[in-house]
Structure formats: structure tokens, C-alpha cells
């Protein structure tokens, strides 16, 4: 992996905002972005972890508290980024939750909670960032969906619904924002080794081993393996890609 992580200045001069960046994939993306020359703002509700992640990444990474369900907090965060760093080039809508619960068992409150974070949070983020990017006439928005946004997922009705919504919103926003030089793409990870997988452990024993056995490459992924793809979409190397799904799943959907 170390060869892949060698810095090449692929985000030199860019300012990036990553939601849910305290840990997991968001933190891996922040690490790669910093290494590639970006100034990075990570946000989260986990303040201790977020502050520690930013401190470990050095002076070009800062942490801000943000609950992505709050329109006011999106306004504050984006205004702070622009005030402090002068622009906003990249938004990674990464924050999310993965609650278990099927169509027969999920309560309305549980359903609305996952929609608020995984779906409305992405909408609010795109809106707040795009208002700045439209003025700049440039920007890249990367929305983290899932393989659950490409097919059905028994036992995860709310999660699946929101990840399909992210995929759909991405396409509509991509068409609307293309004339302003803003690209919007969705990323669809498979089984990635982060704290989120604890949901499977709660569902039952051996769920994770059974899942891993179904992955053609025979293993789950490290967070950085998703971050490499997000880096490409954040950079100008992906200048002709917008409104597209980018799958990183070890062959799961093949
Ligand atoms: P993670 O749980 O480590 O990271 C998610 C982060 O989002 C956490 O730091 C969490 O505190 C933050 N968050 C949750 N609610 C928030 C809120 N209201 N406001 C701000 N931040 C909030 O898991 P991860 O695997 O790094 O997940 C990152 C993204 O990848 C998520 O959107 C997830 O749905 C998606 N994803 C994960 C997997 C996987 O297998 N891990 C697979 C497909 C997609």
C-alpha cells in the first residue's frame, strides 16, 4: 500500500471538506488529501476523535464539530471554510450510519433518523457547498453511497433507501451543476473494515465471515482502498466524470 500512498501533489492548492472525517473512510480520505497537497477540514459529531485525527495529520488539517442533519451547521461550516481558506474545491459527503432493521421491524423514528443523516445530510451538504462552487465556477462533490445503493439489502430497509437516494440525487445535481464546472459523483464501497461493520456483529455470529466468503477477492477492504478512489474523483484527473457511480467492492456486484 505504501507505493500507492506516495505523494504527487494531486490536490495541490485545493481546499476540501470531508463530513464524518473523525475516523474510518473519512479519516483515510483526509490523510490522502493532506498528503496530496490539499488543505482539509474534517467534521463530525465525535469531537475527541475528530480533533485527534486532525492533529495527527498536521497543520493543513483542521477539525470542526458538525451534525450533518443541521442546515444551520452546514451554513456555519461552509462559511468558516471560505472565510479561513478563501475557497471550497471539494466536498466529500461521507458521514453516515448503518442501522440494522428490516421492513417489518424498523420504526418510523428509526427510519427518519437514517434518512436525516444519510440522505438529508447529503442534500444539505451539496446545497451549501454548491452555492460557493457556483460562484467559483468549479468544484467536485463526492457522495458516499454503498453497494446497498446498487441492489437490495434484506434487513437494512432504511440504509438501502438512503443509499439509493444518494445515488439518485447525485445524478440530478450533476446535471444541474455541470454548466457551472461542478462535478458530482457517487462512490459505492463494498465491505470496508471500519467501526461501521460492528452493526453486522450485532446482527448475529459469523455474519462477517459469511460476508467475506462472498467477496470474489476473498477479503474486505481497508479504508484507504476507498480513499484512493475518492482522491481520484476529488482531483482534476477525473475532469470528464460526472453523474456516475464508482464501485469499489472487491467484485461483490460482478
Ligand atoms: P464510520 O462509522 O467509521 O464513519 C462514519 C462517520 O460518520 C463516523 O465518524 C460518525 O461519527 C460520522 N457521523 C455519523 N452521524 C453523523 C452526523 N449526524 N453528523 C456528522 N457525522 C456523523 O464508518 P465508515 O465505513 O467510515 O463510513 C463512511 C461512509 O461509507 C458512510 O457513508 C457509510 O455508509 C459508507 N459505507 C461504508 C461501508 C463499510 O463497509 N464500512 C460500506 C459502504 C458504504
Amino acid at each position: 500500500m505504501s507505493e500507492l500512498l506516495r505523494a504527487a501533489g494531486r490536490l495541490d492548492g485545493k481546499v476540501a471538506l470531508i463530513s464524518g472525517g473523525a475516523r474510518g473512510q473519512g479519516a483515510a480520505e483526509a490523510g490522502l488529501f493532506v498528503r496530496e497537497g490539499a488543505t482539509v477540514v474534517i467534521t463530525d459529531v465525535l469531537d475527541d476523535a475528530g480533533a485527534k485525527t486532525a492533529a495527527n495529520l498536521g497543520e493543513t488539517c483542521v477539525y470542526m464539530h458538525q451534525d450533518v442533519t443541521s442546515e444551520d451547521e452546514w451554513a456555519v461550516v461552509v462559511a468558516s471554510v471560505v472565510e479561513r481558506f478563501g475557497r471550497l474545491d471539494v466536498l466529500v459527503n461521507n458521514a453516515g450510519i448503518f442501522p440494522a432493521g428490516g421492513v417489518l421491524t424498523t420504526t418510523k423514528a428509526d427510519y427518519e433518523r437514517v434518512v436525516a443523516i444519510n440522505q438529508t445530510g447529503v442534500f444539505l451538504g451539496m446545497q451549501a457547498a454548491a452555492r460557493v462552487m457556483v460562484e467559483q465556477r468549479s468544484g467536485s462533490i463526492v457522495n458516499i453511497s454503498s453497494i446497498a445503493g446498487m441492489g437490495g439489502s434484506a434487513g437494512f430497509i432504511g440504509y438501502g433507501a438512503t443509499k439509493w437516494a444518494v445515488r439518485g440525487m447525485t445524478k440530478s445535481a450533476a446535471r444541474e451543476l455541470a454548466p457551472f464546472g461542478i462535478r458530482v459523483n457517487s462512490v459505492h464501497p463494498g465491505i470496508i473494515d471500519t467501526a461501521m461493520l460492528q452493526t453486522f456483529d450485532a446482527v448475529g455470529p459469523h455474519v462477517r465471515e459469511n460476508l467475506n466468503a462472498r467477496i470474489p477477492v476473498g477479503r474486505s477492504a481497508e479504508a484507504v482502498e476507498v480513499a484512493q478512489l475518492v482522491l481520484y474523483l476529488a482531483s482534476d484527473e477525473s475532469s470528464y466524470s460526472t453523474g456516475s457511480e464508482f464501485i469499489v467492492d472487491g467484485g461483490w456486484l460482478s
Side-chain angles (χ1 to χ4, degrees):
M1 210 65 75
S2 57
E3 273 299 294
L4 288 173
L5 297 180
R6 205 167 47 207
R10 292 162 69 188
L11 297 181
D12 272 350
K14 291 196 188 293
V15 176
L17 173 56
I18 303 173
S19 71
R23 69 182 191 195
Q25 295 175 53
E29 285 145 18
L32 279 193
F33 284 20
V34 164
R35 209 167 283 133
E36 294 297 333
T39 299
V40 180
V41 177
I42 56 174
T43 70
D44 211 295
V45 290
L46 301 176
D47 293 333
D48 290 346
K52 199 182 279 183
T53 297
N56 286 340
L57 292 176
E59 59 192 22
T60 53
C61 185
V62 299
Y63 173 75
M64 287 186 68
H65 175 88
Q66 180 195 23
D67 181 339
V68 295
T69 66
S70 164
E71 187 173 13
D72 291 346
E73 291 187 28
W74 271 109
V76 168
V77 165
V78 169
S80 305
V81 171
V82 173
E83 190 183 314
R84 195 155 164 193
F85 303 112
R87 52 190 299 111
L88 176 59
D89 300 292
V90 179
L91 169 66
V92 184
N93 271 314
N94 166 77
I97 59 170
F98 178 47
V103 67
L104 297 176
T105 56
T106 299
T107 66
K108 182 164 176 268
D110 289 343
Y111 189 80
E112 287 175 348
R113 173 87 181 131
V114 67
V115 167
I117 296 173
N118 291 10
Q119 179 176 334
T120 310
V122 170
F123 159 69
L124 292 173
M126 287 200 294
Q127 184 172 72
R131 285 176 176 154
V132 174
M133 291 171 174
V134 162
E135 295 297 315
Q136 289 173 183
R137 292 292 194 272
S138 69
S140 174
I141 298 174
V142 184
N143 294 328
I144 307 301
S145 176
S146 168
I147 51 173
M150 302 295 294
S153 16
F156 298 91
I157 187 75
Y159 188 76
T162 60
K163 293 304 185 179
W164 275 84
V166 168
R167 179 181 170 199
M169 279 194 289
T170 297
K171 292 190 181 297
S172 297
R175 284 181 173 267
E176 182 179 338
L177 298 174
F180 301 100
I182 303 165
R183 298 181 297 104
V184 191
N185 291 289
S186 58
V187 167
H188 300 259
I191 309 296
I192 317 301
D193 277 323
T194 67
M196 189 166 274
L197 292 192
Q198 287 164 7
T199 298
F200 288 131
D201 301 334
V203 169
H206 310 304
V207 174
R208 281 180 69 169
E209 295 106 282
N210 293 342
L211 283 173
N212 284 352
R214 285 176 54 192
I215 303 169
V217 303
R219 64 172 179 87
S220 50
E222 294 175 36
V224 72
E225 295 179 277
V226 178
Q228 293 285 352
L229 175 57
V230 176
L231 167 62
Y232 167 72
L233 292 172
S235 79
D236 295 337
E237 292 161 20
S238 54
S239 54
Y240 201 58
S241 292
T242 196
S244 286
E245 295 97 348
F246 288 80
I247 296 164
V248 50
D249 70 348
W252 181 281
L253 292 169
S254 59

XYZ file of all heavy atoms in Angstrom, residues 20 22-26 44-46 66-69 94-97 117 144-147 159 163 189-192 194-197, ligand 1:
272
model
N -17.983 13.512 8.502
C -17.738 12.207 9.114
C -16.279 11.799 9.023
O -15.960 10.621 8.872
N -13.845 11.959 11.329
C -13.114 11.662 12.570
C -12.414 10.316 12.531
O -11.374 10.122 13.165
C -14.076 11.712 13.757
N -12.990 9.382 11.781
C -12.451 8.008 11.774
C -12.828 7.346 10.445
O -13.476 7.955 9.584
C -13.027 7.218 12.946
C -14.502 6.940 12.785
C -15.120 6.199 13.955
N -16.457 5.749 13.608
C -17.363 5.321 14.465
N -17.079 5.287 15.750
N -18.552 4.922 14.051
N -12.452 6.089 10.300
C -12.892 5.279 9.168
C -12.475 5.842 7.821
O -11.369 6.368 7.649
N -13.365 5.709 6.859
C -13.047 6.128 5.496
C -12.790 7.629 5.391
O -11.926 8.077 4.636
C -14.195 5.753 4.558
C -14.391 4.251 4.422
C -15.608 3.927 3.584
O -15.746 4.406 2.471
N -16.491 3.106 4.117
N -13.557 8.429 6.133
C -13.360 9.883 6.079
C -11.971 10.276 6.545
O -11.312 11.133 5.940
N -17.416 16.228 12.178
C -18.007 15.011 12.754
C -18.767 15.406 14.015
O -18.711 16.574 14.453
C -16.907 13.974 13.102
C -17.384 12.525 12.971
O -18.281 12.142 13.740
O -16.872 11.796 12.113
N -19.461 14.429 14.593
C -20.058 14.613 15.920
C -19.158 14.015 16.995
O -19.406 14.209 18.185
C -21.478 13.997 16.000
C -22.464 14.806 15.171
C -21.469 12.535 15.547
N -18.134 13.268 16.591
C -17.178 12.669 17.539
C -16.007 13.638 17.716
O -14.996 13.536 17.010
C -16.680 11.314 17.009
C -17.742 10.242 16.752
C -17.116 8.985 16.148
C -18.487 9.910 18.047
N -19.661 19.188 13.613
C -20.817 19.370 12.728
C -21.722 18.151 12.765
O -21.278 17.027 12.554
C -20.367 19.574 11.277
C -21.531 19.773 10.324
C -21.159 19.618 8.858
O -20.171 18.963 8.518
N -21.925 20.220 7.991
N -23.014 18.406 12.994
C -24.030 17.379 12.793
C -24.617 17.628 11.401
O -25.212 18.682 11.147
C -25.116 17.511 13.874
C -26.201 16.443 13.741
O -26.355 15.872 12.642
O -26.909 16.213 14.734
N -24.453 16.664 10.493
C -24.849 16.894 9.099
C -26.362 17.044 8.902
O -26.804 17.451 7.828
C -24.318 15.790 8.151
C -22.813 15.789 8.079
C -24.862 14.403 8.538
N -27.148 16.719 9.938
C -28.600 16.886 9.800
C -29.040 18.341 9.972
O -30.193 18.660 9.712
C -29.363 16.031 10.837
O -29.090 16.525 12.144
C -28.963 14.566 10.755
N -19.471 12.117 3.365
C -19.071 10.782 3.820
C -19.802 10.324 5.084
O -19.959 9.121 5.308
C -17.551 10.786 4.057
C -17.076 9.587 4.831
O -16.957 8.494 4.299
N -16.830 9.791 6.139
N -20.262 11.260 5.912
C -20.881 10.883 7.195
C -22.056 9.950 6.959
O -22.836 10.135 6.017
C -21.353 12.126 7.944
N -22.191 8.955 7.817
C -23.327 8.058 7.673
C -23.469 7.133 8.862
O -22.540 6.987 9.672
N -24.645 6.519 8.971
C -24.884 5.477 9.973
C -25.455 4.255 9.251
O -25.981 4.360 8.134
C -25.828 5.940 11.100
C -27.197 6.362 10.535
C -25.191 7.051 11.916
C -28.261 6.591 11.610
N -29.677 11.606 8.470
C -28.210 11.634 8.390
C -27.726 11.275 6.988
O -26.978 12.036 6.355
C -27.599 10.674 9.437
C -27.943 11.153 10.852
C -26.077 10.566 9.248
C -27.545 10.194 11.962
N -20.794 9.600 -0.794
C -20.528 8.199 -0.476
C -21.855 7.457 -0.328
O -22.588 7.657 0.644
C -19.677 8.053 0.804
C -18.396 8.916 0.709
C -19.335 6.565 1.014
C -17.467 8.591 -0.452
N -22.138 6.616 -1.301
C -23.298 5.724 -1.249
C -22.802 4.368 -0.747
O -22.076 4.299 0.255
C -23.957 5.641 -2.628
O -25.019 4.719 -2.638
N -23.108 3.294 -1.449
C -22.773 1.937 -0.988
C -23.168 0.944 -2.082
O -23.945 1.290 -2.986
C -23.576 1.632 0.284
O -23.499 0.263 0.625
N -22.717 -0.293 -1.948
C -23.294 -1.346 -2.801
C -24.781 -1.506 -2.465
O -25.550 -1.971 -3.282
C -22.547 -2.695 -2.667
C -22.378 -3.114 -1.199
C -21.218 -2.654 -3.387
C -21.796 -4.514 -1.010
N -31.287 1.978 5.523
C -29.955 2.194 4.948
C -30.012 2.079 3.418
O -29.520 2.943 2.690
C -28.968 1.191 5.526
C -27.528 1.443 5.142
C -26.798 2.457 5.753
C -26.898 0.667 4.167
C -25.469 2.689 5.404
C -25.578 0.888 3.814
C -24.860 1.899 4.434
O -23.547 2.120 4.074
N -29.165 5.029 0.592
C -28.027 4.917 -0.325
C -28.479 4.956 -1.782
O -27.756 5.424 -2.651
C -27.209 3.665 0.001
C -26.501 3.745 1.371
C -25.601 4.977 1.489
C -24.802 5.021 2.773
N -23.921 6.198 2.886
N -18.886 1.770 -1.965
C -17.992 0.785 -1.349
C -18.724 -0.520 -1.040
O -19.933 -0.539 -0.789
C -17.547 1.466 -0.044
C -17.958 2.910 -0.171
C -19.155 2.899 -1.064
N -17.935 -1.601 -1.006
C -18.455 -2.896 -0.563
C -18.286 -3.043 0.937
O -18.784 -2.220 1.703
N -17.577 -4.090 1.358
C -17.393 -4.346 2.795
C -16.035 -3.765 3.200
O -14.985 -4.285 2.807
C -17.429 -5.861 3.091
C -18.688 -6.502 2.472
C -17.370 -6.111 4.613
C -19.995 -6.019 3.037
N -16.073 -2.710 3.992
C -14.857 -1.965 4.338
C -14.626 -2.074 5.849
O -15.555 -1.842 6.636
C -14.981 -0.465 3.944
C -15.630 -0.306 2.547
C -13.619 0.208 4.024
C -14.902 -0.970 1.396
N -14.208 -0.886 8.939
C -14.289 0.296 9.804
C -15.225 -0.051 10.968
O -15.847 -1.126 10.983
C -14.875 1.519 9.054
O -16.255 1.236 8.762
C -14.117 1.818 7.773
N -15.376 0.885 11.872
C -16.249 0.673 13.036
C -17.681 0.367 12.615
O -18.438 -0.281 13.354
C -16.207 1.905 13.932
N -18.056 0.820 11.424
C -19.425 0.609 10.948
C -19.799 -0.871 10.868
O -20.968 -1.254 11.020
C -19.585 1.270 9.581
C -20.997 1.317 9.087
S -21.190 2.443 7.705
C -21.462 4.000 8.531
N -18.823 -1.725 10.643
C -19.110 -3.161 10.494
C -19.559 -3.798 11.802
O -20.032 -4.944 11.809
C -17.887 -3.901 9.941
C -17.487 -3.582 8.493
C -16.455 -4.582 7.999
C -18.692 -3.574 7.557
P -17.593 5.003 10.359
O -18.727 4.684 11.260
O -16.219 4.728 10.832
O -17.651 6.530 9.874
C -18.838 7.262 9.783
C -18.600 8.621 10.428
O -19.795 9.419 10.265
C -18.319 8.497 11.942
O -17.145 9.198 12.286
C -19.563 9.108 12.560
O -19.344 9.723 13.815
C -19.980 10.115 11.485
N -21.372 10.546 11.664
C -22.440 9.772 11.978
N -23.527 10.560 12.141
C -23.132 11.840 11.911
C -23.803 13.090 11.923
N -25.104 13.203 12.212
N -23.087 14.213 11.623
C -21.756 14.119 11.354
N -21.069 12.971 11.348
C -21.759 11.837 11.612
O -17.881 4.164 9.013
P -17.256 4.290 7.541
O -17.200 2.930 6.995
O -16.008 5.117 7.530
O -18.426 5.077 6.776
C -18.198 6.145 5.878
C -19.254 6.116 4.788
O -19.096 4.931 3.992
C -20.701 6.078 5.279
O -21.494 6.933 4.487
C -21.106 4.634 5.062
O -22.496 4.474 4.922
C -20.342 4.301 3.810
N -20.131 2.871 3.585
C -19.457 2.092 4.474
C -19.253 0.753 4.196
C -18.483 -0.166 5.127
O -18.462 -1.392 4.881
N -17.821 0.331 6.170
C -19.745 0.202 3.008
C -20.431 1.013 2.112
C -20.613 2.358 2.401
